[in-house]
Amino acid sequence: MKVRLDCPLPKLDFDMITLGHGSGGLLTNKLLDSGVFNLFDNKILHERHDGAVINTSGKTAFTTDSFVVSPIFFPGGNIGDLAINGTINDIAMCGGIPEYISVGFILEEGLMMEEFWDILVTMKYAAENANVQIVTGDTKVVEKGKGDKIFINTTGIGPIHPDASISAGNIEVGDKIIVNGELARHGVAIMSVREGLEFETEIISDTAPLDEPVRGLLDEFGRAIHLLRDPTRGGVATVLAEIAKSCKIGVEIFEKELPINEEVGGACELLGLDPLYVANEGLFVGFVKAEVSEQALDKLRTFETCKNARIIGEVVESHFGQVVLHSKIGGKRVVNMLPGEQLPRIC
Amino acid sequence: MKVRLDCPLPKLDFDMITLGHGSGGLLTNKLLDSGVFNLFDNKILHERHDGAVINTSGKTAFTTDSFVVSPIFFPGGNIGDLAINGTINDIAMCGGIPEYISVGFILEEGLMMEEFWDILVTMKYAAENANVQIVTGDTKVVEKGKGDKIFINTTGIGPIHPDASISAGNIEVGDKIIVNGELARHGVAIMSVREGLEFETEIISDTAPLDEPVRGLLDEFGRAIHLLRDPTRGGVATVLAEIAKSCKIGVEIFEKELPINEEVGGACELLGLDPLYVANEGLFVGFVKAEVSEQALDKLRTFETCKNARIIGEVVESHFGQVVLHSKIGGKRVVNMLPGEQLPRIC
């Protein structure tokens, strides 16, 4: 792994995780002192108390996610940056500025220390990249066969942007629906590994932090950004269907406007997947006041992860509670939530 | 289960968890709407966003724990109240007043909905009991054989008590070491189930929230409470050994002062366990300024969960970095951290 160049695996007298590393005793301390503490080091973590003491003030976003993705390494990332970016993005979707993250590991006995180390280093860089501090954590170990290598919970907090007013209640007829980039890349990247598929160009996950583009939007357009959601499990379709249903609004989207990479689209056809339902990890859907939607799009496109931002639909004054897709060939169909399970353990 | 009387399992068209319940789609929504949301209901959770927006101000405790206890039901509790109380206690150990909790479930396909419901109801009551709100959550499902029924992560936040100054750096020579109750009950309760042991009186876990007694201490003695730690995995011995080592202080404890229930002591002998190393879930160890230690003890004993509070030792000006136990028969021995694994998956 490239990340290992700057942070080589420390010399250890063990090469895999054993139950003792979850004992809370000497071996747990040994594991933490082996380099984990140094890797994430900051003043708050350094206290090594049961919890962290941080400074907060006012309205604060608070969000949690557990990650069980399989395989734990995939094109474009691993479970480590997926977990850090995922929680950063959930905070950003609330209009928050990610600041502190807690990390809970559930390790399966036998996990190779090399793999764990690569994940830890990736987490370090993902956190630094978004300027968040990992301030507290917990490690449990379960017996072989009672887990699957590694599960990670990340919980984050951060102050709400002063100009943010993100709430489904703010959505109004005429709002434009924006996505910041191409659909379905994460799900297809995972599936390509699971199914052993090879494409001309490797399809890589879109896992990325969304805090910067969201902050950019809120700085400039504040309350005109009505709602933000990241379409992870269940994809864009499920998120839109949920919003339409819970807010009793009508949503129209246009198939020809959906930004889908040609190879990703091809892979979806091959795998029998509808890209509208495939999981994303660096994507958000925004409901934006119509008057500023074009400027918001221009602003978004100044960010590396949002070059392919596009308006894909709008809120209309009909078919309340439903999402209607206008297909490329001129047809219309209702878009519902993902009915069953499409890709288990995608995140 | 008694708890089910007030909150009966809702009528559902499924009786066990399937992979689809973790899809993020229709089945996930169905699971949440089946009663989970109503059970935990509060204004913040009701927003059903990716995260919660809460109000905070000033110094705040932030702490995380994952729970993998096996079996998930045991005498005195289940993984649900263990998880809520555990995080409440970690916040209290920082001198914080628990306010908000996030919950992350990792469910194994095939978990019976009845069991899940009992756990959820227990969590509801544990949270209400300590006046904390469950404001955000996440549910993932893994395939049969890739988890073990249910793992729960709870992460909590709450403001630091205005008079608290909890830090290992505050410990001074002469400090008295207090425990609020009997040692080793949680570990022995779990082991008795695993080993199929029966005692004259059932030994039940000490799982309990510690926020009230801690608040009582801080209200009255503020900065004279130097350090608080809950001796879960690794027990009282490991916590004291860690503190002695990291603060380079000398600690003496007296075996005859350790509050150990007779049956728990007998069970430990039978199982070959040293109660000093056995996990607790409703216990804390406090380093308290000598001058107020007797009053602190009196104050503690006014709380139901602290009737057996006792001074078990003190900080001395010798053998820096080490814990020395004075045995009942007049001997002395050094107390080290738990070397290996004693009871895997105790919490």
Side-chain angles (χ1 to χ4, degrees):
Chain A
M1 296 284 308
K2 202 190 76 205
V3 292
R4 191 106 62 74
L5 288 177
D6 302 321
C7 301
L9 178 66
K11 260 200 158 40
L12 301 169
D13 60 3
F14 58 96
D15 61 358
M16 62 170 74
I17 296 291
T18 60
L19 282 175
H21 290 118
S23 67
L26 194 67
L27 286 174
T28 305
N29 274 274
K30 214 165 164 178
L31 173 64
L32 295 175
D33 287 333
S34 74
V36 180
F37 262 112
N38 287 341
L39 204 57
F40 292 159
D41 202 29
N42 59 60
K43 243 178 79 183
I44 301 168
L45 191 66
H46 206 75
E47 278 277 316
R48 297 186 69 154
H49 203 283
D50 281 341
V53 176
I54 55 178
N55 274 300
T56 61
S57 92
K59 282 174 81 174
T60 302
F62 177 44
T63 162
T64 195
D65 252 320
S66 295
F67 293 84
V68 299
V69 67
S70 173
I72 56 176
F73 294 91
F74 49 81
N78 67 49
I79 191 171
D81 48 358
L82 198 70
I84 298 290
N85 289 339
T87 286
I88 285 168
N89 294 349
D90 277 354
I91 294 175
M93 296 303 104
C94 298
I97 299 162
E99 198 169 6
Y100 300 111
I101 281 186
S102 69
V103 174
F105 296 108
I106 298 176
L107 308 179
E108 186 192 17
E109 185 186 18
L111 173 69
M112 294 308 293
M113 196 56 207
E114 282 205 355
E115 290 193 307
F116 188 34
W117 186 255
D118 283 342
I119 290 165
L120 290 169
V121 174
T122 314
M123 294 177 83
K124 168 199 166 76
Y125 285 120
E128 282 179 5
N129 184 33
N131 212 16
V132 300
Q133 291 184 66
I134 296 169
V135 289
T136 190
D138 175 58
T139 303
K140 296 290 191 308
V141 182
V142 296
E143 306 91 327
K144 185 108 194 141
K146 299 293 183 183
D148 197 8
K149 289 191 169 180
I150 179 169
F151 301 145
I152 304 179
N153 176 281
T154 43
T155 302
I157 64 178
I160 299 288
H161 190 291
D163 301 329
S165 173
I166 310 281
S167 168
N170 295 340
I171 297 175
E172 51 192 37
V173 172
D175 275 5
K176 298 296 181 189
I177 299 167
I178 291 181
V179 295
N180 67 308
E182 293 170 352
L183 274 62
R185 278 177 38 209
H186 178 71
V188 171
I190 297 283
M191 281 304 276
S192 67
V193 184
R194 287 200 203 151
E195 306 285 326
L197 299 177
E198 277 186 35
F199 304 100
E200 233 165 82
T201 331
E202 190 180 36
I203 295 174
I204 65 168
S205 166
D206 64 340
T207 177
L210 295 169
D211 57 316
E212 277 199 32
V214 167
R215 202 178 315 182
L217 283 184
L218 292 172
D219 282 346
E220 211 161 313
F221 306 103
R223 307 177 71 87
I225 309 301
H226 292 159
L227 188 69
L228 299 170
R229 284 287 294 273
D230 59 337
T232 54
R233 290 179 289 174
V236 171
T238 299
V239 156
L240 290 179
E242 267 178 15
I243 296 169
K245 186 183 163 210
S246 69
C247 303
K248 301 178 183 62
I249 56 167
V251 168
E252 299 209 323
I253 56 174
F254 305 94
E255 193 180 22
K256 69 175 170 33
E257 300 301 333
L258 298 175
I260 297 170
N261 167 290
E262 207 178 312
E263 285 212 286
V264 171
C268 281
E269 272 186 42
L270 194 69
L271 295 162
L273 299 173
D274 180 343
L276 262 183
Y277 288 93
V278 175
N280 311 279
E281 287 292 337
L283 197 72
F284 69 86
V285 175
F287 285 69
V288 178
K289 204 173 177 63
E291 290 81 339
V292 305
S293 59
E294 287 295 337
Q295 293 145 269
L297 210 55
D298 290 341
K299 175 77 189 182
L300 265 185
R301 286 175 176 155
T302 64
F303 295 94
E304 186 59 35
T305 47
C306 306
K307 285 200 187 314
N308 297 308
R310 198 89 65 92
I311 293 174
I312 61 163
E314 60 194 358
V315 178
V316 296
E317 208 163 3
S318 61
H319 53 79
F320 302 106
Q322 280 193 327
V323 180
V324 170
L325 174 96
H326 293 256
S327 74
K328 279 179 186 161
I329 53 164
K332 283 207 258 185
R333 66 173 170 95
V334 172
V335 174
N336 291 311
M337 288 185 211
L338 179 65
E341 176 56 298
Q342 189 189 46
L343 305 169
R345 299 182 57 191
I346 204 72
C347 63
Chain B
M1 296 283 309
K2 201 190 76 203
V3 292
R4 192 104 63 74
L5 288 177
D6 303 321
C7 300
L9 179 67
K11 260 199 157 40
L12 301 169
D13 60 2
F14 57 96
D15 61 358
M16 62 170 75
I17 295 292
T18 61
L19 282 174
H21 291 118
S23 67
L26 194 67
L27 286 174
T28 305
N29 273 273
K30 215 166 163 177
L31 173 64
L32 295 175
D33 288 331
S34 74
V36 181
F37 262 113
N38 287 341
L39 205 57
F40 292 159
D41 203 29
N42 59 59
K43 243 178 80 182
I44 301 168
L45 191 66
H46 206 76
E47 278 276 316
R48 296 186 69 152
H49 204 282
D50 281 341
V53 176
I54 55 178
N55 275 301
T56 61
S57 92
K59 281 174 83 175
T60 302
F62 177 43
T63 161
T64 194
D65 252 320
S66 295
F67 292 83
V68 299
V69 67
S70 172
I72 56 176
F73 294 92
F74 49 80
N78 67 48
I79 191 171
D81 48 357
L82 198 71
I84 298 290
N85 290 338
T87 287
I88 285 168
N89 293 349
D90 277 354
I91 294 175
M93 296 303 104
C94 298
I97 299 162
E99 198 169 7
Y100 300 111
I101 282 187
S102 69
V103 173
F105 295 109
I106 299 176
L107 308 179
E108 185 192 17
E109 186 185 17
L111 173 68
M112 294 308 292
M113 195 58 205
E114 281 205 355
E115 291 193 307
F116 188 34
W117 186 255
D118 283 343
I119 291 165
L120 290 169
V121 174
T122 314
M123 294 176 83
K124 168 199 167 76
Y125 284 121
E128 282 179 5
N129 184 33
N131 212 15
V132 300
Q133 290 184 68
I134 296 169
V135 290
T136 190
D138 175 57
T139 304
K140 295 291 192 310
V141 182
V142 296
E143 307 90 327
K144 185 108 194 139
K146 299 293 184 182
D148 197 8
K149 289 191 169 182
I150 178 169
F151 301 145
I152 304 179
N153 176 281
T154 43
T155 302
I157 65 178
I160 299 290
H161 189 290
D163 301 328
S165 174
I166 310 280
S167 168
N170 294 340
I171 297 176
E172 50 192 37
V173 171
D175 275 5
K176 298 295 181 188
I177 299 167
I178 290 181
V179 294
N180 66 308
E182 292 171 351
L183 273 63
R185 279 178 37 208
H186 178 69
V188 170
I190 297 283
M191 281 305 276
S192 66
V193 183
R194 286 201 205 150
E195 306 286 326
L197 299 178
E198 277 185 35
F199 304 100
E200 235 165 83
T201 331
E202 190 180 37
I203 295 174
I204 65 168
S205 165
D206 64 340
T207 177
L210 294 169
D211 57 316
E212 276 198 33
V214 167
R215 202 178 316 180
L217 284 183
L218 292 172
D219 281 347
E220 211 161 313
F221 306 103
R223 307 177 70 88
I225 310 300
H226 291 159
L227 188 68
L228 299 171
R229 284 287 294 274
D230 59 338
T232 53
R233 288 179 290 176
V236 171
T238 300
V239 156
L240 290 178
E242 267 178 18
I243 296 169
K245 186 184 163 208
S246 69
C247 304
K248 302 180 183 62
I249 56 166
V251 169
E252 299 208 326
I253 56 173
F254 304 95
E255 192 180 23
K256 70 175 168 34
E257 300 302 333
L258 297 176
I260 297 170
N261 167 289
E262 206 177 313
E263 286 212 285
V264 171
C268 282
E269 271 186 41
L270 195 69
L271 295 162
L273 300 173
D274 180 343
L276 263 183
Y277 288 93
V278 176
N280 311 279
E281 287 292 337
L283 197 71
F284 70 84
V285 175
F287 284 69
V288 178
K289 203 173 178 65
E291 290 82 339
V292 305
S293 58
E294 286 296 336
Q295 293 144 268
L297 210 55
D298 290 341
K299 175 79 189 180
L300 265 186
R301 287 175 176 155
T302 65
F303 295 93
E304 186 58 36
T305 47
C306 306
K307 285 202 187 311
N308 296 308
R310 197 89 66 90
I311 293 174
I312 61 164
E314 59 193 359
V315 178
V316 295
E317 207 164 1
S318 61
H319 54 79
F320 301 106
Q322 280 193 327
V323 180
V324 170
L325 173 96
H326 294 256
S327 75
K328 279 180 187 162
I329 52 163
K332 284 205 260 185
R333 66 174 170 93
V334 172
V335 175
N336 291 311
M337 287 184 212
L338 179 66
E341 176 56 297
Q342 189 188 47
L343 305 169
R345 299 183 56 193
I346 204 72
C347 63

